Amino acid sequence: MNRTLAIDVKNHIGEEIKLNGWVHQIRLVGKIKFVILRDRTGLVQTIVLDKNIDISNLERESAVAIFGKPKLEKQAPNGVELEVSKIEVIEKAQSPLPFEVNRASELTNVKIDSILDHRPFSLRNLELASIFRLQAEIVRAYADFMRSQGFLQIHTSKIISAGTEGGTNLFPIQYFEQKAYLAQSPQFYKQMMVGAGYERVFEIGFVYRAEDHATSRHINEYLSLDFEMGFIEDEQDVIKMEIKLLQYMFEQLKKNCAQELKMHNVELPEIKTIPQLRLSEAIKICTDKYNKKFENENDLDPEAERLICEYSKKEFASDFVFITHYPQSGRPFYTMPAEDGLTRGFDLLYKGLEVTTGSQRINNFEMLVSSMKKFGLKPEDFEFYLEIFRYGMPSHGGLAIGTERLTQQILNLKNIREACLFPRDRYRLTP
RNA sequence: GGGCUCGUAGUGUAGCUUGGUUUAACACGUCGCCCUGUCACGGCGAAGAUCGCCAGUUCAAAUCUGGUCGAGCCCGCCA
């Protein structure tokens, strides 16, 4: 017999059908027994009235086949339930279960560490599973949008010979007789592909940061949504592209993830435009309006990021805010300089957290080489990268979005690890 | 690299400040009995923890001290 999905049960009233799934809940109410079945499409209530059907040994979370006839029933959830004729246990679940998986998280209140220790099992929970359904939609919408704008999807190596952006640490790996590193960004490669003639490219791939921190917003391997575009006027073209991207993405999420958003009590706003502040203005706002003191005026610290987002929400009714005109000292060597020691680099903050870094890049060969030297890098080590800059490199720019951070902020998750299936952090290598 | 906090049944917590009537409590889960409309079902009962580990102080340690292992958070840095 073909299998029917939970979501389709209502279309088979009166027919004998087979359901497959997991035993979500068992409720014994006297001589009536309810078995709630869960499959990938959701829940469906089944009812056992025949006293010859023995379910006394049925365990929650066992994988089962349930046979029976659906009927309309006012008292059932969604008005439909299946009257059981037979239950087959495909594979029994052992007791005890690692934790209560069939309830809303606010009721089970399981700690992130227990969730991650039992990661596949934890995703039996509808609320936890919904995070990754939404994340899949974020990534799908990203790819669809980029393609619609003429971007080519590329896949570049995560095994590299040298780092791109000085500051962050690289994971060294042994590559036969050579020393190699895990890529911290596809930066060089996406720029090279712009110069190659594709003009517009995007990549969805893991990147690796050997940063020795343990916070609710850092993981050492994360999924980076990168794009790079050629023949731009300046960084504003990149910013405009990201605004259109986020508008499209939010529309798609509202349309295709209504259930997931509702499960997390999230109502996505319509993005009209996104305000911009120069870094110097942002610092002034923090100092003047919030009495914040800065030790380093090259960047906003996490507290300042939260304050500026609070300000943006109040003044512009926007959860997002771009910070622009960062000084050269805080940005990577390939960032296009602007007047007064500033750059054409920007960040995007969302609900108090940095989710994007981008910029216009240097496209002139001599300027790039001299910038490299200023940063203490040897141009001869990067010949593979520099070559294309000799042969007519267009003006260009791009950005990178942290997928898990974006997911975390959209769903108001406390910890970024909740937005990552198998997070790699300072101490965790399994599962 | 610097700082702060937490480890108590399968899960989540209380108890620790002020060591002793604690036989370590509560909720969920598990097991048994009852219940013909549950939907966070309900009622009655039961099992399940040498209080992370090691050492110390003490007549007495879940409780105080030191070490150790594990975990969470903040800062620097970053998406």
Side-chain angles (χ1 to χ4, degrees), chain A residues 116 135 171 206-211 213-223 403-405 408 415-426:
Chain A
L116 295 178
Q135 189 169 80
F171 285 110
F206 279 122
V207 296
Y208 300 86
R209 301 278 166 100
E211 291 156 4
H213 40 40
T215 77
S216 58
R217 61 181 189 284
H218 287 98
I219 42 181
N220 294 297
E221 175 186 59
Y222 70 89
L223 192 67
T403 312
E404 294 85 353
R405 280 194 179 179
Q408 179 187 8
N415 193 309
I416 192 168
R417 294 171 189 113
E418 296 176 63
C420 182
L421 277 176
F422 298 108
R424 293 291 175 260
D425 64 29
R426 182 66 184 81

Side-chain angles (χ1 to χ4, degrees), chain A residues 60-227:
Chain A
R60 286 192 326 167
E61 296 306 322
S62 291
V64 295
I66 299 185
F67 299 82
K69 287 180 184 164
K71 60 181 184 185
L72 295 170
E73 173 55 63
K74 266 192 300 204
Q75 297 170 92
N78 305 318
V80 181
E81 69 188 7
L82 178 125
E83 188 175 331
V84 175
S85 58
K86 187 167 71 167
I87 296 184
E88 283 176 8
V89 175
I90 293 168
E91 203 63 52
K92 184 181 155 72
Q94 288 180 15
S95 182
L97 301 173
F99 48 82
E100 278 64 74
V101 79
N102 63 349
R103 290 165 186 258
S105 62
E106 61 189 62
L107 296 172
T108 52
N109 200 22
V110 183
K111 288 197 265 194
I112 183 71
D113 200 42
S114 296
I115 289 173
L116 295 178
D117 283 344
H118 305 279
R119 187 40 127 173
F121 178 80
S122 77
L123 297 171
R124 299 264 183 100
N125 180 277
L126 294 170
E127 207 174 306
L128 296 178
S130 74
I131 295 168
F132 299 98
R133 295 183 195 278
L134 183 116
Q135 189 169 80
E137 186 62 16
I138 288 174
V139 174
R140 190 200 62 76
Y142 176 72
D144 282 1
F145 177 80
M146 297 321 295
R147 279 189 203 101
S148 78
Q149 301 298 305
F151 285 74
L152 180 75
Q153 183 166 20
I154 58 169
H155 306 280
T156 64
S157 181
K158 302 303 155 212
I159 303 172
I160 58 166
S161 67
T164 50
E165 310 177 33
T168 54
N169 297 314
L170 295 163
F171 285 110
I173 58 170
Q174 193 60 44
Y175 191 74
F176 302 108
E177 65 281 2
Q178 298 185 66
K179 188 155 196 185
Y181 303 90
L182 293 178
Q184 67 190 158
S185 154
Q187 185 61 35
F188 290 175
Y189 294 101
K190 60 181 182 169
Q191 286 185 264
M192 288 149 74
M193 290 303 98
V194 169
Y198 293 117
E199 296 184 24
R200 294 182 164 200
V201 295
F202 74 101
E203 175 154 3
I204 299 168
F206 279 122
V207 296
Y208 300 86
R209 301 278 166 100
E211 291 156 4
D212 189 10
H213 40 40
T215 77
S216 58
R217 61 181 189 284
H218 287 98
I219 42 181
N220 294 297
E221 175 186 59
Y222 70 89
L223 192 67
S224 184
L225 304 179
D226 274 88
F227 74 70

Side-chain angles (χ1 to χ4, degrees), chain A residues 7 130-142 144 247-262 268:
Chain A
I7 200 170
S130 74
I131 295 168
F132 299 98
R133 295 183 195 278
L134 183 116
Q135 189 169 80
E137 186 62 16
I138 288 174
V139 174
R140 190 200 62 76
Y142 176 72
D144 282 1
Q247 286 169 337
Y248 177 78
M249 192 180 272
F250 273 40
E251 275 169 33
Q252 291 295 303
L253 292 177
K254 275 191 267 193
K255 204 164 82 186
N256 303 324
C257 289
Q259 212 182 328
E260 287 77 9
L261 291 166
K262 197 178 163 197
L268 286 181

Side-chain angles (χ1 to χ4, degrees), chain A residues 220-239:
Chain A
N220 294 297
E221 175 186 59
Y222 70 89
L223 192 67
S224 184
L225 304 179
D226 274 88
F227 74 70
E228 200 71 24
M229 56 198 282
F231 298 109
I232 60 173
E233 288 294 319
D234 55 31
E235 79 281 12
Q236 287 301 325
D237 285 344
V238 180
I239 288 175

Side-chain angles (χ1 to χ4, degrees), chain A residues 235-298:
Chain A
E235 79 281 12
Q236 287 301 325
D237 285 344
V238 180
I239 288 175
K240 278 180 208 150
M241 187 63 74
E242 183 166 31
I243 294 173
K244 276 163 71 180
L245 162 68
L246 290 168
Q247 286 169 337
Y248 177 78
M249 192 180 272
F250 273 40
E251 275 169 33
Q252 291 295 303
L253 292 177
K254 275 191 267 193
K255 204 164 82 186
N256 303 324
C257 289
Q259 212 182 328
E260 287 77 9
L261 291 166
K262 197 178 163 197
M263 210 173 259
H264 293 267
N265 292 317
V266 171
E267 206 156 318
L268 286 181
E270 189 189 340
I271 301 173
K272 293 195 180 74
T273 184
I274 296 179
Q276 297 186 25
L277 294 170
R278 286 177 170 239
L279 178 66
S280 55
E281 293 176 298
I283 288 174
K284 193 163 183 333
I285 289 164
C286 289
T287 311
D288 293 355
K289 294 196 185 291
Y290 298 97
N291 291 318
K292 177 162 171 59
K293 292 194 172 60
F294 285 85
E295 293 188 7
N296 169 1
E297 301 210 343
N298 285 341

